[in-house]
Amino acid sequence: MAGGTDPKSQFYGAGADMLSVFKGQTLPYAELLPEHKNLLRTEALREVYDCCNGVCLCLWFKDECEWTRVWASVLMLAPYLVCVQYILETSVYPREHEQLRALREATLQHPAALSSVPPEEGQFLSQFLKVLNAKKTIEVGVFTGYSLLTTALALPEDGKVTAIDFDKSAYEIGLPFIQKAGVEHKINYIESEALPFVDELSKEESEQGSYDFAFVDADKLNYGEYHERLLKLVRVGGVIAYDNTLWFGSVTPQDPDSTALKDPTRNFLVKFNAFLAGDPRVEITQVSIGDGVTLCRRIS
Ligand SMILES: C[S@@+](CC[C@H](N)C(=O)[O-])C[C@H]1O[C@@H](n2cnc3c(N)ncnc32)[C@H](O)[C@@H]1O
């Protein structure tokens, strides 16, 4: 299984081992995975699917601070991923802003490149923000800034996005592209632990009900805490979006022996999804794009 200190071996080690057990061969493109996020999301899994016919693939990736093991059901994901590749090539890449593309390509060099929202999700968020006429938004979890640049580009000239992350080093990779795109003035970057910052903000009367949109893409185990505070900050009719609510497909019912059941984030998200489904304060839609994004429109 994955081990050692080499990020690459941790990244794909378990998947490669499993496949070699089943097929006597290693994961296709394994050497390329960290640098080619979209191969991981598409061709690599498609090829794995073809050769192992639905064996569960175990991937390691660095989420926030921890190396995390994620089970992805190749059987379930492969047809979807083939469609994603089609969507990317047909509808997303040709229309992606040149600075978003450059930021995405620069991010591929980062060992945690998988943390970025994928470009098809970025395109979706961009259109959603425009349909919502969003002017004031908040983002939890910036990383190199793909979703942040997407947001800043979608906001009007006098729009503002408050973006919070406790690690500015990744943002510094994305900042030159944000500057070249001419939208830095729309960004209020806050280097901080996110929950205490959002908590303080939610107590300020002048901030309450003043946000059109919130995007939460960090600190998954605290999604419930953000929800209570963001419901104060987002106006009635505004939307809170939670990323990764499908957790690589692992939120679906699992075999009792499955390793997925030992993943606290997966288990938390299962409960959180059920909680949102019953929360009368919001109207929800869980969109199967990227790793799943749940949109909660505040209705009371
Ligand atoms: C999944 S990435 C965000 C990806 C980003 N939305 C994008 O499209 O590139 C999560 C980010 O959240 C930050 N983070 C994790 N936990 C945090 C916390 N408790 N407070 C503030 N930032 C946090 C990490 O430093 C990381 O940059």
Side-chain angles (χ1 to χ4, degrees):
M1 298 299 278
T5 50
D6 172 22
K8 273 192 194 168
S9 72
Q10 286 179 294
F11 191 90
Y12 61 77
D17 284 355
M18 268 194 79
L19 286 173
S20 62
V21 168
F22 284 97
K23 290 307 252 180
Q25 63 181 74
T26 53
L27 179 64
Y29 305 117
E31 291 301 326
L32 299 176
L33 290 182
E35 292 81 27
H36 292 82
K37 178 181 169 187
N38 288 324
L39 279 182
L40 170 66
R41 294 171 51 75
T42 55
E43 284 95 339
L45 281 179
R46 179 166 51 189
E47 194 163 319
V48 172
Y49 174 68
D50 287 346
C51 79
C52 72
N53 200 22
V55 169
C56 276
L57 172 67
C58 182
L59 301 172
W60 286 85
F61 75 105
K62 195 174 186 200
D63 176 63
E64 293 150 22
C65 302
E66 297 286 306
W67 284 101
T68 310
R69 187 162 51 172
V70 171
W71 292 92
S73 165
V74 176
L75 183 62
M76 284 174 54
L77 291 180
Y80 168 71
L81 292 170
V82 172
C83 291
V84 170
Q85 184 66 16
Y86 171 79
I87 291 167
L88 286 170
E89 286 166 4
T90 310
S91 311
V92 180
Y93 291 147
R95 285 173 169 265
E96 190 181 29
H97 189 284
E98 61 172 336
Q99 296 308 327
L100 275 174
R101 181 180 46 75
L103 187 154
R104 177 168 57 77
E105 286 171 1
T107 300
L108 289 173
Q109 310 307 318
H110 195 288
L114 266 180
S115 299
S116 281
V117 300
E120 71 278 18
E121 183 179 340
Q123 190 185 59
F124 170 76
L125 289 174
S126 170
Q127 179 153 170
F128 188 80
L129 285 163
K130 290 173 189 167
V131 170
L132 195 63
N133 276 324
K135 199 166 167 185
K136 185 175 178 186
T137 79
I138 184 164
E139 172 168 307
V140 174
V142 174
F143 186 48
T144 58
Y146 192 89
S147 55
L148 179 59
L149 178 52
T150 300
T151 302
L153 286 165
L155 294 179
E157 259 315 287
D158 58 346
K160 212 47 153 194
V161 46
T162 296
I164 314 141
D165 200 301
F166 58 25
D167 175 11
K168 205 172 182 180
S169 61
Y171 180 58
E172 277 155 8
I173 296 171
L175 188 55
F177 306 103
I178 290 170
Q179 287 165 338
K180 276 186 219 149
V183 292
E184 194 186 2
H185 63 285
K186 299 184 200 173
I187 295 171
N188 173 27
Y189 184 89
I190 308 287
E191 187 177 10
S192 166
E193 181 72 42
L195 188 55
F197 178 83
V198 174
D199 184 53
E200 284 306 313
L201 203 64
S202 70
K203 290 176 188 157
E204 287 177 35
E205 230 170 282
S206 60
E207 294 292 316
Q208 292 172 359
S210 71
Y211 290 80
D212 302 301
F213 182 77
F215 184 61
V216 189
D217 186 16
D219 201 10
K220 319 290 173 201
L221 294 173
N222 275 320
Y223 272 12
E225 303 297 325
Y226 290 104
H227 192 61
E228 294 311 313
R229 288 149 183 89
L230 289 170
L231 278 173
K232 291 190 184 129
L233 290 167
V234 167
R235 65 174 166 84
V236 172
V239 172
I240 309 167
Y242 295 99
D243 203 28
N244 303 103
T245 57
L246 292 176
W247 206 235
F248 293 79
S250 70
V251 291
T252 54
Q254 299 284 322
D255 184 275
D257 299 329
S258 166
T259 318
L261 294 177
K262 294 189 181 135
D263 175 356
T265 307
R266 178 261 172 203
N267 293 336
F268 170 78
L269 286 170
V270 168
K271 287 191 195 133
F272 183 67
N273 289 336
F275 166 77
L276 288 183
D279 185 349
R281 300 166 297 177
V282 290
E283 182 178 275
I284 66 162
T285 178
Q286 188 167 15
V287 184
S288 176
I289 193 168
D291 189 27
V293 58
T294 303
L295 305 172
C296 307
R297 190 172 73 91
R298 185 179 164 202
I299 52 178
S300 69

